[in-house]
């Protein structure tokens, strides 16, 4: 009965795009509010919906929320981002576990990933939806609070979620970089998730187009000493290249 009810609730949300808990209470008057909340939590854990205040929304609705800021970033330096993504494919092997960070450059990586046996964890719902178009990769979506700015899930729940998950290779994105402040982003919760992933990963690969250099955001999640590989679209400035070499960072 639970499975059938959840299937009906999911179909209802996917059809409407969103639902209020009060609507579900009217649809299922014999079911307690607490049980309906558990149903929504279950559907969210399966990556089908996102809980919001007073109800839930379809994950597909979030993936189609073409926010102005996200869209503008997605349209910037597309050739550079695709060049970086294709370079990153050299580090992708079947049968391994990966974390793919949220971001427009990592979205390009999601688009070019091979349809192979890959175990992928991501904080980006739109990235998960892109990868799941293939038949062979398994995709796990990090739970947490969803940022409208960059379509990234983070927060206390996300840190708890990844606690027992293993990561071979982490493909990380950044909003800015400088030798003084390192790799930076604009959201504290996202910063904490990035730090946690970097600590867990056996190899950390940072994807960055050179337009991010000398742009500093409020929160530092890593420095050159914390990463193993830096993939860029163009040669780095001499001072940064020398610093990368000093810390043993492989530059591609």
């Amino acid at each position: 009965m639970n499975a059938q009810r959840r299937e009906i609730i999911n179909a209802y949300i996917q059809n409407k795009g969103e639902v209020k808990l009060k609507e579900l209470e009217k649809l299922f008057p014999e079911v307690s509010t607490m049980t309906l909340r558990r149903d929504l939590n279950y559907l969210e854990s399966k990556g089908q919906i996102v809980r919001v205040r007073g109800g839930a929304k379809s994950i597909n609705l979030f993936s189609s929320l073409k926010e102005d800021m996200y869209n503008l970033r997605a349209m910037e330096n597309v050739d550079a981002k695709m060049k970086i993504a294709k370079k990153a494919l050299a580090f992708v092997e079947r049968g391994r576990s990966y974390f793919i960070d949220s971001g427009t450059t990592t979205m390009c990586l999601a688009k070019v990933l091979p349809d192979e046996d890959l175990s992928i964890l991501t904080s980006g719902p739109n990235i998960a939806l892109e990868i799941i178009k293939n038949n062979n990769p398994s995709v796990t979506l990090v739970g947490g609070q969803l940022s409208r700015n960059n379509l990234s899930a983070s927060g206390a729940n996300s840190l708890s979620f990844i606690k027992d998950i293993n990561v071979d290779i982490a493909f990380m994105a950044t909003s800015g970089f400088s030798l003084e402040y390192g790799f930076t982003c604009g959201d504290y919760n996202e910063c904490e998730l990035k730090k946690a992933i970097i600590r867990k990963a056996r190899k950390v690969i940072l994807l960055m187009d050179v337009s991010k250099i000398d742009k500093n955001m409020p929160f530092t999640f890593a420095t050159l000493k914390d990463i193993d590989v830096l993939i860029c679209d163009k040669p780095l400035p001499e001072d940064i290249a020398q610093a990368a070499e000093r810390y043993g960072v492989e530059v591609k």
Side-chain angles (χ1 to χ4, degrees):
M1 185 62 186
N2 282 353
Q4 184 180 16
R5 185 180 63 252
R6 287 168 177 170
E7 188 175 332
I8 293 171
I9 292 173
N10 184 44
Y12 185 80
I13 296 172
Q14 301 307 327
N15 183 53
K16 285 195 64 182
E18 60 183 306
V19 70
K20 296 294 185 184
L21 189 58
K22 292 187 180 299
E23 292 178 62
L24 296 181
E25 290 171 346
K26 291 178 181 178
L27 284 172
F28 301 96
E30 74 287 357
V31 179
S32 71
T33 300
M34 185 62 68
T35 297
L36 292 172
R37 289 183 190 277
R38 284 197 293 265
D39 288 340
L40 293 178
N41 288 338
Y42 174 83
L43 293 173
E44 184 176 46
S45 74
K46 295 298 181 182
Q48 296 170 320
I49 67 166
V50 175
R51 292 295 309 276
V52 295
R53 180 188 276 287
K57 292 187 178 183
S58 165
I59 199 77
N60 292 322
L61 180 64
F62 276 98
S63 70
S64 63
L65 284 178
K66 301 302 184 181
E67 291 245 341
D68 288 343
M69 291 183 69
Y70 183 87
N71 257 354
L72 286 171
R73 290 199 308 273
M75 291 185 292
E76 290 175 348
N77 304 319
V78 175
D79 290 343
K81 292 171 183 176
M82 287 304 298
K83 184 176 181 179
I84 291 168
K86 289 174 181 177
K87 286 184 179 182
L89 289 179
F91 296 92
V92 176
E93 304 173 17
R94 65 172 60 194
R96 303 190 69 175
S97 61
Y98 300 88
F99 175 80
I100 298 182
D101 201 2
S102 62
T104 55
T105 303
T106 46
M107 183 60 171
C108 289
L109 174 60
K111 290 177 181 292
V112 298
L113 278 178
D115 189 2
E116 294 180 355
D117 176 23
L118 308 171
S119 178
I120 296 170
L121 174 71
T122 182
S123 56
N126 55 331
I127 289 174
L129 288 166
E130 181 64 34
I131 298 170
I132 210 68
K133 292 176 183 178
N134 292 325
N135 294 317
N136 292 302
S138 67
V139 183
T140 301
L141 184 61
V142 173
Q145 184 176 352
L146 192 64
S147 166
R148 288 183 173 86
N149 181 44
N150 58 7
L151 301 181
S152 172
S154 61
N157 288 339
S158 66
L159 295 175
S160 176
F161 185 88
I162 68 168
K163 185 173 61 174
D164 299 318
I165 292 178
N166 300 318
V167 177
D168 277 336
I169 295 177
F171 290 106
M172 307 302 296
T174 187
S175 298
F177 172 77
S178 69
L179 286 177
E180 183 177 5
Y181 295 107
F183 300 100
T184 57
C185 64
D187 182 89
Y188 174 78
N189 287 330
E190 185 182 356
C191 175
E192 292 303 299
L193 177 61
K194 287 174 183 284
K195 285 180 179 178
I197 289 292
I198 287 171
R199 287 194 297 267
K200 292 181 72 72
R202 295 176 64 186
K203 176 176 283 189
V204 178
I205 301 176
L206 204 299
L207 310 184
M208 180 186 75
D209 67 83
V210 296
S211 70
K212 305 288 178 61
I213 293 174
D214 290 332
K215 290 183 179 178
N216 295 314
M217 301 298 284
F219 305 102
T220 297
F221 64 87
T223 62
L224 284 171
K225 67 180 181 180
D226 299 310
I227 71 170
D228 301 293
V229 181
L230 178 59
I231 302 180
C232 301
D233 56 312
K234 295 178 181 178
L236 293 168
E238 186 62 27
D239 58 338
I240 297 176
Q242 289 177 357
E245 183 178 4
R246 191 161 60 247
Y247 285 110
V249 177
E250 182 180 357
V251 178
K252 296 292 186 179

